[in-house]
Amino acid sequence: MKFSKEEQEIIKAFVDYENISENIADAFNISGLLEKRGVAIVNADDTTLVFFRMDMHPNFFPNAKYPYIPLLLNLIEKLVQNGCVICGDSVYTDPLVIGARYSRWEKLDTLAVNDTEAIILKGPYKGWYNKTTRQMLYWEWNEWGNQLAKVCHYLHSDYCVSEELKDLVKNDFKTDEEIRFAKQQWATWISIAVAIILGILGIIF
């Protein structure tokens, strides 16, 4: 099976941070996958929202199309259903914020994020702000609500990955056929090198 560059990064995060993360969301936060793209997923108090950093996505509206979120959600679902990622007990985190270094409840319906920022979850001022300047920092866009609802409980789960997935990362996402071809090619070059050396030695001696 072929994976895109983005899918390979996600799979690598699963494998690399399996033993040091509390749950799947924590693995993604340690990897910084969403943060470096200016994307965040927030699940707190039965509210799930997706945010996009305005300075990294200045032209996000009015045609908000961002394929990374459905790609991420589809891949998580596929890996779990295929048994490549095995979810265990739910390590429930409230609030759960993927794409931020730090988050906690500050007061009702408000999260403190990254020390200097705040997320208001409900009401007319719903959004992600700089706490000092009150400037809005992120767009909020929730086109993927149904898909998030299906996948969100996986994000809270601890997990382990299959040996198949580990081997895939270890082999740099090469297929079995590509690995066999590389071995055959390497054997061919060795045979050619040995033949040349023997030919030269035959001439000399």
Side-chain angles (χ1 to χ4, degrees):
M1 184 183 295
K2 285 288 188 180
F3 293 97
S4 67
K5 180 182 177 182
E6 290 82 6
E7 288 174 324
Q8 289 180 18
E9 288 180 338
I10 295 166
I11 292 170
K12 199 167 184 303
F14 271 113
V15 173
D16 288 350
Y17 304 108
E18 174 190 11
N19 296 320
I20 61 173
S21 56
E22 290 185 352
N23 52 28
I24 289 176
D26 191 35
F28 290 151
N29 272 337
I30 296 170
S31 71
L33 275 179
L34 273 69
E35 192 173 357
K36 73 180 183 182
R37 288 179 167 81
V39 181
I41 296 173
V42 178
N43 178 239
D45 194 25
D46 298 323
T47 300
T48 303
L49 302 169
V50 179
F51 289 95
F52 297 85
R53 271 186 59 166
M54 290 180 168
D55 59 345
M56 295 178 69
H57 304 277
N59 301 314
F60 189 72
F61 288 103
N63 298 312
K65 297 293 179 186
Y66 193 72
Y68 188 76
I69 294 297
L71 179 146
L72 172 69
L73 300 177
N74 285 333
L75 183 60
I76 293 171
E77 197 168 8
K78 185 191 300 182
L79 292 174
V80 172
Q81 289 176 348
N82 291 345
C84 296
V85 172
I86 301 96
C87 290
D89 296 332
S90 178
V91 183
Y92 192 75
T93 305
D94 189 16
L96 182 146
V97 181
I98 308 176
R101 295 181 301 280
Y102 166 81
S103 62
R104 64 173 176 81
W105 283 104
E106 187 167 81
K107 55 184 179 181
L108 183 65
D109 294 336
T110 302
L111 308 179
V113 186
N114 296 338
D115 296 323
T116 60
E117 300 165 12
I119 300 173
I120 299 175
L121 298 172
K122 298 176 182 177
Y125 300 105
K126 183 172 73 171
W128 190 319
Y129 298 88
N130 181 296
K131 291 168 73 172
T132 304
T133 65
R134 307 290 179 90
Q135 178 186 3
M136 186 177 282
L137 301 175
Y138 284 70
W139 306 109
E140 186 259 315
W141 190 250
N142 203 19
E143 181 182 338
W144 310 279
N146 291 335
Q147 197 174 11
L148 270 168
K150 289 171 63 180
V151 172
C152 209
H153 66 282
Y154 296 142
L155 300 176
H156 288 276
S157 299
D158 67 359
Y159 73 96
C160 60
V161 298
S162 67
E163 290 301 320
E164 179 186 0
L165 208 63
K166 291 177 183 178
D167 288 342
L168 189 67
V169 172
K170 183 180 177 181
N171 293 318
D172 200 25
F173 295 91
K174 292 184 176 71
T175 64
D176 290 342
E177 186 177 338
E178 288 172 331
I179 293 169
R180 282 195 299 270
F181 177 76
K183 287 179 178 178
Q184 289 171 354
Q185 194 174 41
W186 181 246
T188 299
W189 281 113
I190 290 175
S191 299
I192 292 171
V194 169
I196 291 172
I197 292 169
L198 290 175
I200 293 171
L201 291 176
I203 293 171
I204 294 173
F205 297 103

